[in-house]
Each structure stands twice: as structure tokens, then as C-alpha cells.
Amino acid sequence: MMYFSKYDYTIIRRHWIMLVFRYFQFLLFLLLALLLYVISLKFINTTWHDLVHFLIFPIVFGLVNYAFIKLILSYIKYYNNLLIVYKGQLIVIQSSLFFKDNIEFIDINKITKLDTYCRGLIPNVLWYGNLVVEQQRDEPRLFHFVPELNKALHILKKEKQRTIEERKERYMVQDEKDKNKNSVIKKNTFENTLKKIKKTIKTIKNK
């Protein structure tokens, strides 16, 4: 599930094609290690056996370990590389095992333009592409491997419209409160002034 909606937030996970690319990369490293291992077996009983033992075998061991470590880190990065739409904010989370988590908050109302582009046969068949977010006075942000771009656009535009209406309603209520408060202040001021005038007139009559 690449879209998860609950209550007032929506989580967008990157497309699963990212993991497919990592699997392909993992297999390439294993094939390279296997190829070096097979070649080294042919020279293990020759005068090159020292080179095989002290250079080729460590390289093969290093490649296999690197392939597994990179695959594990790719899993962690995939499941912790998220876009979250929550209460007028686009929250960008990029997390890894070794580096400090990067969390960014983007005010949806400050987004001036949303754009998408999907190039190539595979992205169009599997429904993924790049999401471009342009903000006021900031450089455009590019998010890769976003699934179902039209759905992402719909969620962001809907949230922006909702926050605009919510803020308008809040401002209208606040303006109404301010007006009522000002009218009460004016009424009290008028009554106090009227009392002072009556008091002054009464003082003049008594004299």
C-alpha cells in the first residue's frame, strides 16, 4: 500500500520500483563476486595462488558483504522515505540507519505550483514519476518515484483548498469577535461620556 489515509493525515510512500532497482543492483554485485570467484579457482593451483588468496578472495568477500549491507540500507531508506500530508503541511521525511534524520515541513498554502512529469515506457506502465513542488521565494523541490501522480496532486490540492477555507472561516469569526468587542467599547464610551455631560449640566444648574 503506497497511500495510507487515516483521520486527517495521508502517508505517501515511494513506488515499489525503487526496491526492484535495488534487487537488480544486488544481483549484479553477486554475479560480479561469483565471476571473480570462478576465475580465481582456475589460478589457485598456479604461481598466481598468492594473488588469489590475498587479493581476489578478499575482494569477493568484500563485494558480497557490500551487496548485502547496501540491500538492507535500501530497505530502511525505502520504508522511511515518506511524504505526509497533515493539517496544511507537507512533511518530508528522509531517514537512514547511519545519518541524522531529515524532516522538513512545507506549508501547503505557500505552494505556488504543483507539476508532474512521467517519462519513459516503464514509468507510464507502472504509474510513477516525479512530483515538482514550487514555493514562494524558494527553489522548486523534486520528489522522485511518486506513485499515481494524479492521486498525489488531488490530495495536495484538496488539502490546500481545505486549509484556505478553514483559515477564511477562522478570520471571519475573529473579525466578528473584534467587531462585537469594538461595538461594546464604543457603547461604554458613549454611555460614560453621556453621564459626564449630564453631571456637568446638573452642576451648572445648581450654581
Side-chain angles (χ1 to χ4, degrees):
M1 185 182 294
M2 291 173 286
Y3 285 86
F4 178 78
S5 297
K6 190 174 182 180
Y7 302 119
D8 52 355
Y9 67 87
T10 302
I11 298 174
I12 304 173
R13 182 180 291 157
R14 298 299 199 272
H15 198 276
W16 51 263
I17 195 67
M18 287 183 66
L19 289 179
V20 175
F21 289 149
R22 297 296 177 260
Y23 288 139
F24 183 70
Q25 191 179 48
F26 173 73
L27 290 175
L28 283 179
F29 278 113
L30 289 186
L31 287 174
L32 180 59
L34 181 62
L35 180 62
L36 287 174
Y37 180 74
V38 171
I39 293 173
S40 65
L41 290 178
K42 293 183 179 181
F43 295 95
I44 197 169
N45 294 321
T46 64
T47 56
W48 298 91
H49 67 277
D50 288 337
L51 181 66
V52 171
H53 281 290
F54 296 106
L55 182 62
I56 304 299
F57 281 170
I59 290 176
V60 171
F61 179 78
L63 280 174
V64 173
N65 280 276
Y66 177 76
F68 277 101
I69 291 172
K70 192 168 180 62
L71 182 63
I72 292 170
L73 293 178
S74 299
Y75 265 113
I76 295 172
K77 184 177 180 181
Y78 173 75
Y79 286 104
N80 292 279
N81 192 357
L82 305 171
L83 298 174
I84 302 175
V85 181
Y86 176 69
K87 289 187 176 180
Q89 298 284 338
L90 175 61
I91 306 171
V92 184
I93 299 177
Q94 294 177 334
S95 179
S96 63
L97 185 62
F98 298 112
F99 301 103
K100 186 178 179 181
D101 295 346
N102 183 14
I103 301 176
E104 182 182 359
F105 293 84
I106 299 175
D107 189 348
I108 290 181
N109 284 322
K110 292 183 179 179
I111 295 176
T112 57
K113 185 180 179 183
L114 290 168
D115 200 3
T116 62
Y117 65 90
C118 180
R119 296 174 183 172
L121 178 62
I122 295 177
N124 280 283
V125 171
L126 298 180
W127 290 7
Y128 73 90
N130 298 321
L131 176 66
V132 183
V133 176
E134 295 186 15
Q135 306 172 69
Q136 297 174 358
R137 301 179 182 178
D138 287 326
E139 294 184 358
R141 294 295 308 277
L142 180 63
F143 301 102
H144 301 283
F145 298 105
V146 177
E148 300 179 45
L149 291 169
N150 290 333
K151 189 172 182 178
L153 280 178
H154 175 72
I155 290 171
L156 289 171
K157 289 179 178 179
K158 184 178 178 181
E159 182 64 18
K160 184 174 182 179
Q161 184 63 32
R162 187 194 68 79
T163 54
I164 289 173
E165 291 176 357
E166 184 181 86
R167 291 182 182 183
K168 279 183 179 179
E169 184 178 349
R170 191 188 308 159
Y171 291 147
M172 287 174 65
V173 170
Q174 187 64 36
D175 288 342
E176 189 66 28
K177 287 182 179 178
D178 291 340
K179 286 179 181 178
N180 292 334
K181 186 178 179 180
N182 290 332
S183 63
V184 170
I185 292 172
K186 287 179 180 179
K187 184 179 179 181
N188 291 335
T189 304
F190 176 76
E191 288 178 353
N192 290 332
T193 305
L194 187 60
K195 286 180 181 179
K196 288 180 181 180
I197 293 172
K198 287 181 178 179
K199 188 176 180 181
T200 304
I201 293 172
K202 188 176 180 181
T203 305
I204 292 171
K205 285 183 178 180
N206 291 331
K207 288 182 180 180

PDB file of all heavy atoms in Angstrom, residues 162-193:
ATOM      1  N   ARG A 162      -8.891  22.972   1.531  1.00  0.00           N
ATOM      2  CA  ARG A 162      -9.470  22.826   2.866  1.00  0.00           C
ATOM      3  C   ARG A 162      -8.858  23.810   3.850  1.00  0.00           C
ATOM      4  O   ARG A 162      -9.566  24.455   4.640  1.00  0.00           O
ATOM      5  CB  ARG A 162      -9.244  21.399   3.380  1.00  0.00           C
ATOM      6  CG  ARG A 162      -9.959  21.082   4.689  1.00  0.00           C
ATOM      7  CD  ARG A 162      -9.439  19.811   5.306  1.00  0.00           C
ATOM      8  NE  ARG A 162      -8.080  19.976   5.765  1.00  0.00           N
ATOM      9  CZ  ARG A 162      -7.734  20.573   6.895  1.00  0.00           C
ATOM     10  NH1 ARG A 162      -8.667  21.073   7.698  1.00  0.00           N
ATOM     11  NH2 ARG A 162      -6.472  20.681   7.243  1.00  0.00           N
ATOM     12  N   THR A 163      -7.542  23.979   3.804  1.00  0.00           N
ATOM     13  CA  THR A 163      -6.878  24.906   4.722  1.00  0.00           C
ATOM     14  C   THR A 163      -7.241  26.355   4.416  1.00  0.00           C
ATOM     15  O   THR A 163      -7.381  27.173   5.335  1.00  0.00           O
ATOM     16  CB  THR A 163      -5.354  24.739   4.664  1.00  0.00           C
ATOM     17  OG1 THR A 163      -4.905  24.864   3.293  1.00  0.00           O
ATOM     18  CG2 THR A 163      -4.931  23.379   5.179  1.00  0.00           C
ATOM     19  N   ILE A 164      -7.420  26.678   3.128  1.00  0.00           N
ATOM     20  CA  ILE A 164      -7.824  28.043   2.761  1.00  0.00           C
ATOM     21  C   ILE A 164      -9.209  28.345   3.330  1.00  0.00           C
ATOM     22  O   ILE A 164      -9.430  29.411   3.927  1.00  0.00           O
ATOM     23  CB  ILE A 164      -7.810  28.216   1.225  1.00  0.00           C
ATOM     24  CG1 ILE A 164      -6.371  28.235   0.701  1.00  0.00           C
ATOM     25  CG2 ILE A 164      -8.524  29.498   0.820  1.00  0.00           C
ATOM     26  CD1 ILE A 164      -6.261  28.226  -0.803  1.00  0.00           C
ATOM     27  N   GLU A 165     -10.145  27.414   3.160  1.00  0.00           N
ATOM     28  CA  GLU A 165     -11.498  27.616   3.684  1.00  0.00           C
ATOM     29  C   GLU A 165     -11.489  27.669   5.213  1.00  0.00           C
ATOM     30  O   GLU A 165     -12.214  28.475   5.818  1.00  0.00           O
ATOM     31  CB  GLU A 165     -12.398  26.482   3.199  1.00  0.00           C
ATOM     32  CG  GLU A 165     -12.678  26.523   1.706  1.00  0.00           C
ATOM     33  CD  GLU A 165     -13.489  25.340   1.237  1.00  0.00           C
ATOM     34  OE1 GLU A 165     -13.777  24.459   2.093  1.00  0.00           O
ATOM     35  OE2 GLU A 165     -13.833  25.280   0.046  1.00  0.00           O
ATOM     36  N   GLU A 166     -10.679  26.844   5.838  1.00  0.00           N
ATOM     37  CA  GLU A 166     -10.600  26.838   7.299  1.00  0.00           C
ATOM     38  C   GLU A 166     -10.059  28.160   7.831  1.00  0.00           C
ATOM     39  O   GLU A 166     -10.571  28.709   8.814  1.00  0.00           O
ATOM     40  CB  GLU A 166      -9.700  25.683   7.745  1.00  0.00           C
ATOM     41  CG  GLU A 166      -9.620  25.502   9.252  1.00  0.00           C
ATOM     42  CD  GLU A 166      -8.693  24.373   9.624  1.00  0.00           C
ATOM     43  OE1 GLU A 166      -7.475  24.593   9.740  1.00  0.00           O
ATOM     44  OE2 GLU A 166      -9.186  23.240   9.787  1.00  0.00           O
ATOM     45  N   ARG A 167      -9.028  28.687   7.174  1.00  0.00           N
ATOM     46  CA  ARG A 167      -8.443  29.951   7.618  1.00  0.00           C
ATOM     47  C   ARG A 167      -9.392  31.113   7.359  1.00  0.00           C
ATOM     48  O   ARG A 167      -9.477  32.036   8.167  1.00  0.00           O
ATOM     49  CB  ARG A 167      -7.102  30.171   6.917  1.00  0.00           C
ATOM     50  CG  ARG A 167      -6.033  29.194   7.383  1.00  0.00           C
ATOM     51  CD  ARG A 167      -4.698  29.443   6.740  1.00  0.00           C
ATOM     52  NE  ARG A 167      -3.723  28.445   7.187  1.00  0.00           N
ATOM     53  CZ  ARG A 167      -2.445  28.452   6.826  1.00  0.00           C
ATOM     54  NH1 ARG A 167      -1.985  29.385   6.021  1.00  0.00           N
ATOM     55  NH2 ARG A 167      -1.628  27.503   7.276  1.00  0.00           N
ATOM     56  N   LYS A 168     -10.127  31.065   6.255  1.00  0.00           N
ATOM     57  CA  LYS A 168     -11.121  32.116   5.988  1.00  0.00           C
ATOM     58  C   LYS A 168     -12.186  32.127   7.067  1.00  0.00           C
ATOM     59  O   LYS A 168     -12.573  33.191   7.567  1.00  0.00           O
ATOM     60  CB  LYS A 168     -11.768  31.878   4.615  1.00  0.00           C
ATOM     61  CG  LYS A 168     -10.939  32.363   3.439  1.00  0.00           C
ATOM     62  CD  LYS A 168     -11.691  32.141   2.157  1.00  0.00           C
ATOM     63  CE  LYS A 168     -10.898  32.639   0.956  1.00  0.00           C
ATOM     64  NZ  LYS A 168     -11.628  32.408  -0.316  1.00  0.00           N
ATOM     65  N   GLU A 169     -12.666  30.937   7.418  1.00  0.00           N
ATOM     66  CA  GLU A 169     -13.697  30.840   8.454  1.00  0.00           C
ATOM     67  C   GLU A 169     -13.167  31.343   9.790  1.00  0.00           C
ATOM     68  O   GLU A 169     -13.859  32.051  10.520  1.00  0.00           O
ATOM     69  CB  GLU A 169     -14.144  29.387   8.575  1.00  0.00           C
ATOM     70  CG  GLU A 169     -15.283  29.177   9.556  1.00  0.00           C
ATOM     71  CD  GLU A 169     -15.730  27.731   9.610  1.00  0.00           C
ATOM     72  OE1 GLU A 169     -15.293  26.947   8.743  1.00  0.00           O
ATOM     73  OE2 GLU A 169     -16.501  27.390  10.517  1.00  0.00           O
ATOM     74  N   ARG A 170     -11.909  31.001  10.094  1.00  0.00           N
ATOM     75  CA  ARG A 170     -11.299  31.448  11.347  1.00  0.00           C
ATOM     76  C   ARG A 170     -11.175  32.960  11.385  1.00  0.00           C
ATOM     77  O   ARG A 170     -11.462  33.604  12.395  1.00  0.00           O
ATOM     78  CB  ARG A 170      -9.925  30.794  11.498  1.00  0.00           C
ATOM     79  CG  ARG A 170      -9.296  30.980  12.885  1.00  0.00           C
ATOM     80  CD  ARG A 170      -7.872  30.463  12.878  1.00  0.00           C
ATOM     81  NE  ARG A 170      -7.818  29.109  12.373  1.00  0.00           N
ATOM     82  CZ  ARG A 170      -6.728  28.550  11.881  1.00  0.00           C
ATOM     83  NH1 ARG A 170      -5.614  29.264  11.795  1.00  0.00           N
ATOM     84  NH2 ARG A 170      -6.734  27.306  11.450  1.00  0.00           N
ATOM     85  N   TYR A 171     -10.751  33.548  10.261  1.00  0.00           N
ATOM     86  CA  TYR A 171     -10.601  35.003  10.198  1.00  0.00           C
ATOM     87  C   TYR A 171     -11.955  35.703  10.294  1.00  0.00           C
ATOM     88  O   TYR A 171     -12.074  36.767  10.909  1.00  0.00           O
ATOM     89  CB  TYR A 171      -9.887  35.411   8.910  1.00  0.00           C
ATOM     90  CG  TYR A 171      -8.438  34.997   8.868  1.00  0.00           C
ATOM     91  CD1 TYR A 171      -7.829  34.647   7.666  1.00  0.00           C
ATOM     92  CD2 TYR A 171      -7.670  34.947  10.035  1.00  0.00           C
ATOM     93  CE1 TYR A 171      -6.502  34.251   7.621  1.00  0.00           C
ATOM     94  CE2 TYR A 171      -6.346  34.559   9.995  1.00  0.00           C
ATOM     95  CZ  TYR A 171      -5.763  34.211   8.788  1.00  0.00           C
ATOM     96  OH  TYR A 171      -4.457  33.824   8.756  1.00  0.00           O
ATOM     97  N   MET A 172     -12.984  35.100   9.671  1.00  0.00           N
ATOM     98  CA  MET A 172     -14.320  35.698   9.730  1.00  0.00           C
ATOM     99  C   MET A 172     -14.848  35.706  11.161  1.00  0.00           C
ATOM    100  O   MET A 172     -15.428  36.690  11.620  1.00  0.00           O
ATOM    101  CB  MET A 172     -15.269  34.922   8.816  1.00  0.00           C
ATOM    102  CG  MET A 172     -15.037  35.165   7.337  1.00  0.00           C
ATOM    103  SD  MET A 172     -16.060  34.119   6.286  1.00  0.00           S
ATOM    104  CE  MET A 172     -17.676  34.733   6.685  1.00  0.00           C
ATOM    105  N   VAL A 173     -14.632  34.585  11.873  1.00  0.00           N
ATOM    106  CA  VAL A 173     -15.068  34.513  13.273  1.00  0.00           C
ATOM    107  C   VAL A 173     -14.313  35.525  14.123  1.00  0.00           C
ATOM    108  O   VAL A 173     -14.884  36.221  14.965  1.00  0.00           O
ATOM    109  CB  VAL A 173     -14.857  33.082  13.814  1.00  0.00           C
ATOM    110  CG1 VAL A 173     -15.076  33.046  15.321  1.00  0.00           C
ATOM    111  CG2 VAL A 173     -15.790  32.110  13.116  1.00  0.00           C
ATOM    112  N   GLN A 174     -12.999  35.646  13.860  1.00  0.00           N
ATOM    113  CA  GLN A 174     -12.186  36.594  14.616  1.00  0.00           C
ATOM    114  C   GLN A 174     -12.602  38.026  14.326  1.00  0.00           C
ATOM    115  O   GLN A 174     -12.676  38.863  15.239  1.00  0.00           O
ATOM    116  CB  GLN A 174     -10.697  36.393  14.260  1.00  0.00           C
ATOM    117  CG  GLN A 174      -9.742  37.211  15.103  1.00  0.00           C
ATOM    118  CD  GLN A 174      -9.787  36.829  16.560  1.00  0.00           C
ATOM    119  OE1 GLN A 174      -9.954  35.667  16.892  1.00  0.00           O
ATOM    120  NE2 GLN A 174      -9.668  37.815  17.444  1.00  0.00           N
ATOM    121  N   ASP A 175     -12.886  38.313  13.037  1.00  0.00           N
ATOM    122  CA  ASP A 175     -13.351  39.669  12.675  1.00  0.00           C
ATOM    123  C   ASP A 175     -14.671  39.992  13.360  1.00  0.00           C
ATOM    124  O   ASP A 175     -14.893  41.116  13.823  1.00  0.00           O
ATOM    125  CB  ASP A 175     -13.503  39.785  11.157  1.00  0.00           C
ATOM    126  CG  ASP A 175     -12.159  39.819  10.462  1.00  0.00           C
ATOM    127  OD1 ASP A 175     -11.145  40.092  11.151  1.00  0.00           O
ATOM    128  OD2 ASP A 175     -12.104  39.565   9.252  1.00  0.00           O
ATOM    129  N   GLU A 176     -15.572  38.989  13.421  1.00  0.00           N
ATOM    130  CA  GLU A 176     -16.874  39.199  14.063  1.00  0.00           C
ATOM    131  C   GLU A 176     -16.691  39.476  15.556  1.00  0.00           C
ATOM    132  O   GLU A 176     -17.349  40.357  16.121  1.00  0.00           O
ATOM    133  CB  GLU A 176     -17.744  37.957  13.852  1.00  0.00           C
ATOM    134  CG  GLU A 176     -19.174  38.129  14.290  1.00  0.00           C
ATOM    135  CD  GLU A 176     -19.926  39.155  13.460  1.00  0.00           C
ATOM    136  OE1 GLU A 176     -19.573  39.340  12.273  1.00  0.00           O
ATOM    137  OE2 GLU A 176     -20.857  39.772  14.004  1.00  0.00           O
ATOM    138  N   LYS A 177     -15.772  38.735  16.181  1.00  0.00           N
ATOM    139  CA  LYS A 177     -15.492  38.971  17.603  1.00  0.00           C
ATOM    140  C   LYS A 177     -14.916  40.362  17.823  1.00  0.00           C
ATOM    141  O   LYS A 177     -15.275  41.057  18.773  1.00  0.00           O
ATOM    142  CB  LYS A 177     -14.514  37.915  18.119  1.00  0.00           C
ATOM    143  CG  LYS A 177     -15.126  36.542  18.279  1.00  0.00           C
ATOM    144  CD  LYS A 177     -14.110  35.561  18.833  1.00  0.00           C
ATOM    145  CE  LYS A 177     -14.730  34.180  19.029  1.00  0.00           C
ATOM    146  NZ  LYS A 177     -13.716  33.209  19.536  1.00  0.00           N
ATOM    147  N   ASP A 178     -14.002  40.762  16.926  1.00  0.00           N
ATOM    148  CA  ASP A 178     -13.400  42.094  17.046  1.00  0.00           C
ATOM    149  C   ASP A 178     -14.458  43.190  16.881  1.00  0.00           C
ATOM    150  O   ASP A 178     -14.436  44.203  17.596  1.00  0.00           O
ATOM    151  CB  ASP A 178     -12.293  42.263  16.007  1.00  0.00           C
ATOM    152  CG  ASP A 178     -11.087  41.383  16.310  1.00  0.00           C
ATOM    153  OD1 ASP A 178     -10.943  40.958  17.480  1.00  0.00           O
ATOM    154  OD2 ASP A 178     -10.295  41.117  15.388  1.00  0.00           O
ATOM    155  N   LYS A 179     -15.378  42.985  15.929  1.00  0.00           N
ATOM    156  CA  LYS A 179     -16.437  43.976  15.711  1.00  0.00           C
ATOM    157  C   LYS A 179     -17.334  44.098  16.934  1.00  0.00           C
ATOM    158  O   LYS A 179     -17.694  45.204  17.359  1.00  0.00           O
ATOM    159  CB  LYS A 179     -17.263  43.592  14.481  1.00  0.00           C
ATOM    160  CG  LYS A 179     -16.552  43.828  13.164  1.00  0.00           C
ATOM    161  CD  LYS A 179     -17.431  43.407  12.008  1.00  0.00           C
ATOM    162  CE  LYS A 179     -16.728  43.617  10.674  1.00  0.00           C
ATOM    163  NZ  LYS A 179     -17.578  43.160   9.541  1.00  0.00           N
ATOM    164  N   ASN A 180     -17.710  42.940  17.488  1.00  0.00           N
ATOM    165  CA  ASN A 180     -18.557  42.959  18.686  1.00  0.00           C
ATOM    166  C   ASN A 180     -17.842  43.634  19.855  1.00  0.00           C
ATOM    167  O   ASN A 180     -18.434  44.397  20.612  1.00  0.00           O
ATOM    168  CB  ASN A 180     -18.945  41.533  19.076  1.00  0.00           C
ATOM    169  CG  ASN A 180     -19.874  40.891  18.062  1.00  0.00           C
ATOM    170  OD1 ASN A 180     -20.594  41.597  17.363  1.00  0.00           O
ATOM    171  ND2 ASN A 180     -19.845  39.573  17.970  1.00  0.00           N
ATOM    172  N   LYS A 181     -16.551  43.342  19.968  1.00  0.00           N
ATOM    173  CA  LYS A 181     -15.773  43.941  21.042  1.00  0.00           C
ATOM    174  C   LYS A 181     -15.688  45.449  20.868  1.00  0.00           C
ATOM    175  O   LYS A 181     -15.847  46.223  21.824  1.00  0.00           O
ATOM    176  CB  LYS A 181     -14.375  43.319  21.063  1.00  0.00           C
ATOM    177  CG  LYS A 181     -13.515  43.769  22.224  1.00  0.00           C
ATOM    178  CD  LYS A 181     -12.172  43.057  22.189  1.00  0.00           C
ATOM    179  CE  LYS A 181     -11.294  43.518  23.339  1.00  0.00           C
ATOM    180  NZ  LYS A 181      -9.979  42.840  23.325  1.00  0.00           N
ATOM    181  N   ASN A 182     -15.445  45.901  19.643  1.00  0.00           N
ATOM    182  CA  ASN A 182     -15.349  47.338  19.363  1.00  0.00           C
ATOM    183  C   ASN A 182     -16.682  48.041  19.607  1.00  0.00           C
ATOM    184  O   ASN A 182     -16.722  49.172  20.106  1.00  0.00           O
ATOM    185  CB  ASN A 182     -14.899  47.568  17.917  1.00  0.00           C
ATOM    186  CG  ASN A 182     -13.450  47.165  17.717  1.00  0.00           C
ATOM    187  OD1 ASN A 182     -12.652  47.203  18.656  1.00  0.00           O
ATOM    188  ND2 ASN A 182     -13.089  46.782  16.501  1.00  0.00           N
ATOM    189  N   SER A 183     -17.777  47.342  19.242  1.00  0.00           N
ATOM    190  CA  SER A 183     -19.098  47.962  19.447  1.00  0.00           C
ATOM    191  C   SER A 183     -19.402  48.114  20.937  1.00  0.00           C
ATOM    192  O   SER A 183     -19.975  49.124  21.370  1.00  0.00           O
ATOM    193  CB  SER A 183     -20.176  47.117  18.768  1.00  0.00           C
ATOM    194  OG  SER A 183     -20.254  45.841  19.346  1.00  0.00           O
ATOM    195  N   VAL A 184     -18.991  47.113  21.737  1.00  0.00           N
ATOM    196  CA  VAL A 184     -19.186  47.200  23.188  1.00  0.00           C
ATOM    197  C   VAL A 184     -18.368  48.337  23.773  1.00  0.00           C
ATOM    198  O   VAL A 184     -18.835  49.113  24.614  1.00  0.00           O
ATOM    199  CB  VAL A 184     -18.827  45.852  23.856  1.00  0.00           C
ATOM    200  CG1 VAL A 184     -18.785  46.001  25.368  1.00  0.00           C
ATOM    201  CG2 VAL A 184     -19.814  44.767  23.442  1.00  0.00           C
ATOM    202  N   ILE A 185     -17.124  48.454  23.306  1.00  0.00           N
ATOM    203  CA  ILE A 185     -16.244  49.533  23.779  1.00  0.00           C
ATOM    204  C   ILE A 185     -16.829  50.898  23.424  1.00  0.00           C
ATOM    205  O   ILE A 185     -16.862  51.825  24.241  1.00  0.00           O
ATOM    206  CB  ILE A 185     -14.833  49.366  23.195  1.00  0.00           C
ATOM    207  CG1 ILE A 185     -14.173  48.118  23.789  1.00  0.00           C
ATOM    208  CG2 ILE A 185     -13.975  50.602  23.484  1.00  0.00           C
ATOM    209  CD1 ILE A 185     -12.862  47.761  23.139  1.00  0.00           C
ATOM    210  N   LYS A 186     -17.322  51.021  22.181  1.00  0.00           N
ATOM    211  CA  LYS A 186     -17.914  52.292  21.748  1.00  0.00           C
ATOM    212  C   LYS A 186     -19.162  52.619  22.570  1.00  0.00           C
ATOM    213  O   LYS A 186     -19.387  53.776  22.952  1.00  0.00           O
ATOM    214  CB  LYS A 186     -18.269  52.230  20.259  1.00  0.00           C
ATOM    215  CG  LYS A 186     -17.047  52.275  19.346  1.00  0.00           C
ATOM    216  CD  LYS A 186     -17.472  52.197  17.893  1.00  0.00           C
ATOM    217  CE  LYS A 186     -16.261  52.252  16.970  1.00  0.00           C
ATOM    218  NZ  LYS A 186     -16.670  52.150  15.547  1.00  0.00           N
ATOM    219  N   LYS A 187     -19.982  51.612  22.838  1.00  0.00           N
ATOM    220  CA  LYS A 187     -21.196  51.827  23.614  1.00  0.00           C
ATOM    221  C   LYS A 187     -20.862  52.284  25.032  1.00  0.00           C
ATOM    222  O   LYS A 187     -21.464  53.236  25.557  1.00  0.00           O
ATOM    223  CB  LYS A 187     -22.007  50.528  23.657  1.00  0.00           C
ATOM    224  CG  LYS A 187     -23.341  50.664  24.364  1.00  0.00           C
ATOM    225  CD  LYS A 187     -24.094  49.344  24.333  1.00  0.00           C
ATOM    226  CE  LYS A 187     -25.417  49.470  25.056  1.00  0.00           C
ATOM    227  NZ  LYS A 187     -26.153  48.176  25.065  1.00  0.00           N
ATOM    228  N   ASN A 188     -19.886  51.621  25.649  1.00  0.00           N
ATOM    229  CA  ASN A 188     -19.473  52.003  27.002  1.00  0.00           C
ATOM    230  C   ASN A 188     -18.893  53.406  27.031  1.00  0.00           C
ATOM    231  O   ASN A 188     -19.157  54.204  27.943  1.00  0.00           O
ATOM    232  CB  ASN A 188     -18.453  51.002  27.544  1.00  0.00           C
ATOM    233  CG  ASN A 188     -19.068  49.639  27.810  1.00  0.00           C
ATOM    234  OD1 ASN A 188     -20.276  49.545  28.043  1.00  0.00           O
ATOM    235  ND2 ASN A 188     -18.254  48.600  27.779  1.00  0.00           N
ATOM    236  N   THR A 189     -18.113  53.728  25.995  1.00  0.00           N
ATOM    237  CA  THR A 189     -17.522  55.069  25.915  1.00  0.00           C
ATOM    238  C   THR A 189     -18.603  56.132  25.767  1.00  0.00           C
ATOM    239  O   THR A 189     -18.550  57.195  26.396  1.00  0.00           O
ATOM    240  CB  THR A 189     -16.543  55.137  24.720  1.00  0.00           C
ATOM    241  OG1 THR A 189     -15.574  54.112  24.868  1.00  0.00           O
ATOM    242  CG2 THR A 189     -15.858  56.492  24.662  1.00  0.00           C
ATOM    243  N   PHE A 190     -19.602  55.840  24.927  1.00  0.00           N
ATOM    244  CA  PHE A 190     -20.703  56.789  24.725  1.00  0.00           C
ATOM    245  C   PHE A 190     -21.496  56.993  26.016  1.00  0.00           C
ATOM    246  O   PHE A 190     -21.843  58.126  26.378  1.00  0.00           O
ATOM    247  CB  PHE A 190     -21.612  56.271  23.606  1.00  0.00           C
ATOM    248  CG  PHE A 190     -22.815  57.120  23.379  1.00  0.00           C
ATOM    249  CD1 PHE A 190     -22.720  58.343  22.704  1.00  0.00           C
ATOM    250  CD2 PHE A 190     -24.073  56.710  23.845  1.00  0.00           C
ATOM    251  CE1 PHE A 190     -23.849  59.119  22.499  1.00  0.00           C
ATOM    252  CE2 PHE A 190     -25.185  57.477  23.644  1.00  0.00           C
ATOM    253  CZ  PHE A 190     -25.069  58.694  22.967  1.00  0.00           C
ATOM    254  N   GLU A 191     -21.780  55.900  26.715  1.00  0.00           N
ATOM    255  CA  GLU A 191     -22.543  55.997  27.960  1.00  0.00           C
ATOM    256  C   GLU A 191     -21.774  56.786  29.019  1.00  0.00           C
ATOM    257  O   GLU A 191     -22.345  57.613  29.744  1.00  0.00           O
ATOM    258  CB  GLU A 191     -22.858  54.590  28.475  1.00  0.00           C
ATOM    259  CG  GLU A 191     -23.917  53.862  27.634  1.00  0.00           C
ATOM    260  CD  GLU A 191     -24.168  52.466  28.130  1.00  0.00           C
ATOM    261  OE1 GLU A 191     -23.421  52.024  29.044  1.00  0.00           O
ATOM    262  OE2 GLU A 191     -25.091  51.807  27.619  1.00  0.00           O
ATOM    263  N   ASN A 192     -20.448  56.552  29.095  1.00  0.00           N
ATOM    264  CA  ASN A 192     -19.628  57.293  30.064  1.00  0.00           C
ATOM    265  C   ASN A 192     -19.588  58.781  29.732  1.00  0.00           C
ATOM    266  O   ASN A 192     -19.666  59.647  30.617  1.00  0.00           O
ATOM    267  CB  ASN A 192     -18.211  56.731  30.095  1.00  0.00           C
ATOM    268  CG  ASN A 192     -18.154  55.337  30.714  1.00  0.00           C
ATOM    269  OD1 ASN A 192     -18.991  55.000  31.541  1.00  0.00           O
ATOM    270  ND2 ASN A 192     -17.177  54.545  30.312  1.00  0.00           N
ATOM    271  N   THR A 193     -19.473  59.072  28.438  1.00  0.00           N
ATOM    272  CA  THR A 193     -19.459  60.475  28.006  1.00  0.00           C
ATOM    273  C   THR A 193     -20.784  61.157  28.312  1.00  0.00           C
ATOM    274  O   THR A 193     -20.841  62.317  28.773  1.00  0.00           O
ATOM    275  CB  THR A 193     -19.161  60.557  26.489  1.00  0.00           C
ATOM    276  OG1 THR A 193     -17.944  59.869  26.224  1.00  0.00           O
ATOM    277  CG2 THR A 193     -19.026  62.006  26.050  1.00  0.00           C
TER     278      THR A 193
END
